[in-house]
Amino acid sequence: MTFSAYVAVVGGSNPSDDELGAAHAIGYELARRGALVVCGGLSGVMEAVCAGAKEGGGTTVGLLPGDDRAAANRFVDVALATGLGEARNTIVARAVDVVVAVGGEFGTLSEIAFALRAGTPVVGLGTWELRRRGRPVDAIVAASSPRDAVETALRLARGR
């Protein structure tokens, strides 16, 4: 099976309703455009993006922190139990062409940092803003909507 891009969608396990809706819409649109959706495989943004991708006819991969594949949310097609805990965030960030961050907590921030360190582009929708020595760092490409996040992510993925 060939995919247009491998896209990780990252975000918190306790997101707002707006973040859940955005993640769902992103998953749906990524699937409709032929992308493989990769995530951490658990709840919150991860579950919402997988649900959207499945509704859009797509394929989902969950890179789980624990040893039990059955821990994956019900919308994950391929559950990979890494046994690495939060260290699996490095794999999520490096296994893809682009990362889309929706909201998020400190785990999401680590995935953003790992992706940027590896040279993987990051698109953000209502996520972290970076500063160094009080000055903004424009490393995360801001998106204005779920559709904009998908269009930007796929454009950046093509450019790699």
Side-chain angles (χ1 to χ4, degrees), residues 10-12 19 101-113 116 122-131 137-143:
V10 301
E19 291 166 343
V102 179
E105 299 158 22
F106 289 122
T108 305
L109 181 59
S110 75
E111 289 165 313
I112 291 168
L116 294 174
V122 177
V123 177
L125 183 61
T127 194
W128 291 88
E129 296 176 13
L130 305 178
R131 299 178 75 77
V137 175
D138 293 330
I140 301 170
V141 181

Side-chain angles (χ1 to χ4, degrees), residues 74-139:
R74 63 190 171 115
F75 303 105
V76 170
D77 293 313
V78 179
L80 301 173
T82 68
L84 295 173
E86 289 182 353
R88 69 76 153 87
N89 291 355
T90 61
I91 299 170
V92 171
R94 292 189 70 101
V96 296
D97 303 311
V98 62
V99 172
V100 177
V102 179
E105 299 158 22
F106 289 122
T108 305
L109 181 59
S110 75
E111 289 165 313
I112 291 168
F114 289 132
L116 294 174
R117 176 75 185 214
T120 303
V122 177
V123 177
L125 183 61
T127 194
W128 291 88
E129 296 176 13
L130 305 178
R131 299 178 75 77
R132 179 180 294 148
R133 295 184 189 103
R135 294 191 174 147
V137 175
D138 293 330

